[in-house]
């Protein structure tokens, strides 16, 4: 599985020939000005919740790629009403897609569309695919619900928000990685705005001191899992 960081909470996942884009917010992110949304491939677009910093580029990318939008029922219905293709899910549900299985799991956050309309309840995804399992937490607080994940899935990577203020910060993300029983962490949802700027070296050191590996990718950089 190849994972590319497009800045903020946006990720591109490649599993064999399938391209999965998560929470596209690129054109509104000055730090991602070198990423051209017209070159991003997407067979599926996964959305954790309806906030602007997670859905800004959905319409432009889905229009070009005909990607299937996967999210909670309310978000998928919103995009289906605009003519896009979608696959609705809700908390606790798993579906077998051609790239692997996805489970929509709990997140503690909010989920309104930019105009204030209801965006369902926020979530995260557990993806089991190509012999690698990952957890994409979405925007969330630390929650005991995370302990449910390793009861069924042995994770190879946990993708956790670390920017604090709107989500978990470093200290809670370290506990979250204990809860999900995964010591390999990709941090996201940091540095984009003033509220969520972090000290990279201090963050990595804190994880290292707990025998955990926090990876922080440059925008546009990829890792192979
Ligand atoms: Ni949010
Ligand atoms: Mn966010």
């Amino acid at each position: 599985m190849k994972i590319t960081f497009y800045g903020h909470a946006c990720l591109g996942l490649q599993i064999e020939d399938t391209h999965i884009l998560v929470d596209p917010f690129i054109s509104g992110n000055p730090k991602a000005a070198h990423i051209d949304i017209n070159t991003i491939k997407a067979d599926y677009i996964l959305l954790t919740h309806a906030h602007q910093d997670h859905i800004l580029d959905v319409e432009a990318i889905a229009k070009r790629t005909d990607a299937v939008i996967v999210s909670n029922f309310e978000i998928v219905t919103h995009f289906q009403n605009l003519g896009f293709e979608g696959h609705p899910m809700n908390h606790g549900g798993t579906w077998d897609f051609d790239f692997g299985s996805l489970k929509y799991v709990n997140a503690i956050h909010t989920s309104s569309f930019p105009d204030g309309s209801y965006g369902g309840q926020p979530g995260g995804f557990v993806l089991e695919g190509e012999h690698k399992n990952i957890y994409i937490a979405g925007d969330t607080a630390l929650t005991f619900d995370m302990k449910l994940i390793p009861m069924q899935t042995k994770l190879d990577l946990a993708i956790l928000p670390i920017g604090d203020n709107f989500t978990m910060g470093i200290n809670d993300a370290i506990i979250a990685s204990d809860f999900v029983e995964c010591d390999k962490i990709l941090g996201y949802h940091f540095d984009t705005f003033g509220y969520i700027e972090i000290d990279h070296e201090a963050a990595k050191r804190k994880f290292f001191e707990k025998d955990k590996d926090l990876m922080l990718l440059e925008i546009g950089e990829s890792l192979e899992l």
Side-chain angles (χ1 to χ4, degrees), residues 8 49 53-54 139 189:
H8 197 51
H49 63 295
D53 60 316
H54 298 257
D139 286 9
H189 213 276

mmCIF file of all heavy atoms in Angstrom, residues 8 49 53-54 139 189, ligand 2:
data_model
loop_
_atom_site.group_PDB
_atom_site.id
_atom_site.type_symbol
_atom_site.label_atom_id
_atom_site.label_comp_id
_atom_site.label_asym_id
_atom_site.label_seq_id
_atom_site.Cartn_x
_atom_site.Cartn_y
_atom_site.Cartn_z
ATOM 1 N N HIS A 8 -2.638 18.657 5.420
ATOM 2 C CA HIS A 8 -3.736 18.692 6.378
ATOM 3 C C HIS A 8 -4.215 17.277 6.718
ATOM 4 O O HIS A 8 -3.474 16.537 7.349
ATOM 5 C CB HIS A 8 -4.867 19.592 5.871
ATOM 6 C CG HIS A 8 -5.812 19.977 6.961
ATOM 7 N ND1 HIS A 8 -5.381 20.499 8.150
ATOM 8 C CD2 HIS A 8 -7.160 19.888 7.062
ATOM 9 C CE1 HIS A 8 -6.427 20.722 8.930
ATOM 10 N NE2 HIS A 8 -7.508 20.358 8.303
ATOM 11 N N HIS A 49 -15.804 13.432 7.681
ATOM 12 C CA HIS A 49 -16.885 14.308 8.140
ATOM 13 C C HIS A 49 -17.007 15.475 7.180
ATOM 14 O O HIS A 49 -16.256 15.567 6.208
ATOM 15 C CB HIS A 49 -16.679 14.746 9.600
ATOM 16 C CG HIS A 49 -15.455 15.574 9.858
ATOM 17 N ND1 HIS A 49 -14.186 15.095 9.699
ATOM 18 C CD2 HIS A 49 -15.322 16.859 10.274
ATOM 19 C CE1 HIS A 49 -13.314 16.050 10.011
ATOM 20 N NE2 HIS A 49 -13.975 17.129 10.351
ATOM 21 N N ASP A 53 -12.519 21.778 5.776
ATOM 22 C CA ASP A 53 -11.112 21.377 5.635
ATOM 23 C C ASP A 53 -10.965 19.876 5.364
ATOM 24 O O ASP A 53 -9.859 19.334 5.443
ATOM 25 C CB ASP A 53 -10.293 21.802 6.874
ATOM 26 C CG ASP A 53 -10.786 21.193 8.171
ATOM 27 O OD1 ASP A 53 -12.024 21.177 8.396
ATOM 28 O OD2 ASP A 53 -9.951 20.730 8.965
ATOM 29 N N HIS A 54 -12.098 19.234 5.007
ATOM 30 C CA HIS A 54 -12.064 17.806 4.648
ATOM 31 C C HIS A 54 -12.790 17.529 3.334
ATOM 32 O O HIS A 54 -12.633 16.450 2.762
ATOM 33 C CB HIS A 54 -12.656 16.951 5.777
ATOM 34 C CG HIS A 54 -11.850 17.085 7.039
ATOM 35 N ND1 HIS A 54 -10.974 16.131 7.468
ATOM 36 C CD2 HIS A 54 -11.738 18.124 7.912
ATOM 37 C CE1 HIS A 54 -10.361 16.571 8.564
ATOM 38 N NE2 HIS A 54 -10.810 17.764 8.856
ATOM 39 N N ASP A 139 -10.904 13.493 12.299
ATOM 40 C CA ASP A 139 -10.780 14.463 13.390
ATOM 41 C C ASP A 139 -11.461 13.852 14.606
ATOM 42 O O ASP A 139 -12.655 13.561 14.575
ATOM 43 C CB ASP A 139 -11.505 15.772 13.042
ATOM 44 C CG ASP A 139 -10.769 16.609 12.024
ATOM 45 O OD1 ASP A 139 -9.788 16.124 11.438
ATOM 46 O OD2 ASP A 139 -11.185 17.772 11.818
ATOM 47 N N HIS A 189 -3.297 16.401 10.260
ATOM 48 C CA HIS A 189 -4.082 17.495 10.868
ATOM 49 C C HIS A 189 -3.214 18.354 11.800
ATOM 50 O O HIS A 189 -3.547 18.570 12.956
ATOM 51 C CB HIS A 189 -5.309 16.933 11.604
ATOM 52 C CG HIS A 189 -6.515 17.840 11.575
ATOM 53 N ND1 HIS A 189 -6.688 18.858 12.473
ATOM 54 C CD2 HIS A 189 -7.592 17.885 10.752
ATOM 55 C CE1 HIS A 189 -7.823 19.482 12.213
ATOM 56 N NE2 HIS A 189 -8.387 18.923 11.164
HETATM 57 MN MN1 LIG B 2 -10.465 19.214 10.443
#
